[in-house]
Amino acid sequence: MRVLSGIQPTGRFHWGNYFGAIAQYIQLQGDCNKAFYFIANLHALTTVRDSKRMQANMLDAALDLLGLGLDPEQATLFVQSDVPEVSQLTWLLMTVCPMGLLERCHAYKEKKARGLTADAGLFTYPVLMAADILAYDSDLVPVGEDQLQHIEVARDLAGSFNHLFGDVFVLPKGKVLDSSAKVPGLDGEKMSKSYGNTIECFEDLKQQRKKIMRIATDSRPLEDPKDPDTDHLFQLYANFATDSQRQEMADLYRRGGFGYGQVKKALADAAEAFFDPARQRREYFATRPDLVRDILNQGAKRARAKAAEVLARAEAACGVAASPN
Ligand code: ADP
Ligand code: TRP
């Protein structure tokens, strides 16, 4: 089984990115020829319009992923734009993609609903994503819930292309981590960079504690029993706690007679301990830029070899391959 996923370098990764997507990457790694993960800089170009920031974000994304446990022996890590075959494949897929399919995709639809004009990059974003997936014969694509629609687009386009030209593409499946489909942010809404309610995985520890203390809670009296299942502070804590810690905290909620400050402190302690090994790993790579460059170059080489093979198959099938004379 071949696994693939991509994540945009739009800033430091936060808890939502980790529990919603990156934790799955790590779980599914094992064989570097079968697990491919990339930094989606071409997708990020639809929002990041500053070359220095793009470069810094790309490095941060690589360091965050390596720190969080992506192991170059067990997975191939690369930068999207280092594989130009994907952009070539995008065009082939574009020719079998109905406009209506893209008009229904949420990123474009939401922008339009807000009265903003979208560029063609944002509109055709799902086609590039389909090419990312199909270029590596990916079977499984671990993502956060909001990306499932795009994986359906990739399946649709693969199906249409195969229907017209023969059996070229593998049909991919999306995979969402059930436990944390949506990680809440400081305000209880979905944690997202665009809502400014995030806690980064490698947040400065003092700042992290401060942010945790700011997490919105209701103002019910101390002695009231509370339902842990509907409380976002509990949901956050549950991500970091062991089963028995989670159970203990849930019992405390149901009994009442505690303050949210107590839960916040437990959350801060648990989060700090949880990411501590990752912090040390990130530091290791941050002080070895040559090693990181090497990992990305090796990754791109392996990814290109696979993408070239799939592109050649697709070009031959639809008849645009140069004739062998
Ligand atoms: P952001 O919303 O902060 O811009 P992205 O859209 O770049 O984050 O998300 C990157 C990956 O992380 C996607 O697979 C997305 O589904 C996942 N993800 C982001 N935020 C959350 C969250 N709060 N809960 C679960 N998964 C999330
Ligand atoms: N669109 C994805 C996101 O915003 C990133 C991405 C690009 C991706 N290409 C991909 C994810 C291919 C999975 C597979 O999170």
Side-chain angles (χ1 to χ4, degrees):
M1 192 187 58
R2 302 183 65 92
V3 180
L4 167 123
S5 197
I7 191 154
Q8 294 193 46
T10 46
R12 292 292 195 93
F13 297 135
H14 54 72
W15 292 0
N17 300 137
Y18 179 74
F19 290 108
I22 299 168
Q24 297 199 84
Y25 302 177
I26 314 292
Q27 271 172 21
L28 292 167
Q29 67 183 0
D31 175 349
C32 66
N33 290 304
K34 300 224 163 119
F36 280 20
Y37 300 117
F38 65 91
I39 297 164
N41 58 347
L42 295 177
H43 279 105
L45 201 51
T46 60
T47 50
V48 180
R49 317 284 198 166
D50 176 294
S51 65
K52 284 211 177 71
R53 217 179 105 218
M54 178 68 92
Q55 288 286 309
N57 284 359
M58 283 160 60
L59 178 62
D60 270 336
L63 292 176
D64 277 10
L65 289 170
L66 290 166
L68 289 168
L70 208 137
D71 174 358
E73 306 266 308
Q74 300 189 55
T76 291
L77 175 64
F78 60 101
V79 173
Q80 184 182 31
S81 61
D82 281 347
V83 186
E85 287 78 6
V86 166
S87 299
Q88 291 171 263
L89 191 56
T90 301
W91 180 257
L92 302 190
L93 295 173
M94 206 89 89
T95 64
V96 299
C97 184
M99 297 283 284
L101 189 63
L102 298 181
E103 275 157 6
R104 285 195 294 277
C105 283
H106 60 73
Y108 170 73
K109 225 165 85 177
E110 277 158 25
K111 192 152 188 181
K112 228 179 136 212
R114 280 189 285 141
L116 302 169
T117 47
D119 52 43
L122 185 75
F123 185 63
T124 56
Y125 171 122
V127 190
L128 175 59
M129 182 156 160
D132 283 327
I133 295 169
L134 303 178
Y136 307 106
D137 285 339
S138 317
D139 300 293
L140 198 68
V141 187
V143 282
E145 209 178 10
D146 60 331
Q147 294 298 317
L148 283 177
Q149 183 189 38
H150 294 150
I151 297 169
E152 283 311 307
V153 171
R155 271 182 82 86
D156 277 7
L157 299 185
S160 305
F161 199 93
N162 287 355
H163 181 71
L164 286 166
F165 301 118
D167 216 4
V168 174
F169 295 120
V170 172
L171 298 191
K173 271 207 185 84
K175 184 175 185 296
V176 177
L177 205 68
D178 338 312
S179 61
S180 48
K182 241 183 220 174
V183 177
L186 298 176
D187 51 1
E189 297 301 314
K190 181 190 169 196
M191 187 177 283
S192 168
K193 268 176 299 254
S194 31
Y195 302 151
N197 63 358
T198 63
I199 302 181
E200 293 163 5
C201 302
F202 299 107
E203 189 92 48
D204 168 77
L205 288 175
K206 250 196 180 155
Q207 164 85 357
Q208 174 160 306
R209 240 161 234 275
K210 263 200 203 151
K211 279 191 173 178
I212 290 172
M213 293 305 158
R214 275 199 352 243
I215 293 175
T217 48
D218 62 41
S219 51
R220 272 178 303 167
L222 212 61
E223 52 278 5
D224 276 16
K226 297 168 185 79
D227 179 7
D229 300 328
T230 56
D231 183 69
H232 58 270
L233 183 57
F234 179 83
Q235 279 169 38
L236 282 173
Y237 176 73
N239 282 310
F240 297 104
T242 60
D243 284 347
S244 63
Q245 286 172 321
R246 195 177 308 135
Q247 194 53 51
E248 238 173 80
M249 186 63 85
D251 291 344
L252 184 65
Y253 264 74
R254 293 195 184 99
R255 265 202 317 273
F258 71 98
Y260 284 117
Q262 192 180 335
V263 190
K264 289 178 176 177
K265 170 145 190 333
L267 171 61
D269 292 344
E272 187 173 329
F274 185 90
F275 283 122
D276 186 56
R279 248 174 229 281
Q280 292 181 30
R281 250 189 327 263
R282 191 185 197 280
E283 190 51 34
Y284 173 88
F285 286 106
T287 50
R288 290 166 179 77
D290 290 348
L291 173 62
V292 176
R293 209 165 305 127
D294 227 46
I295 290 168
L296 294 175
N297 286 340
Q298 286 294 330
K301 222 166 127 189
R302 213 174 294 134
R304 273 198 87 168
K306 181 66 189 171
E309 174 200 316
V310 175
L311 177 65
R313 210 162 69 208
E315 287 185 332
C318 65
V320 300
S323 53
N325 51 25

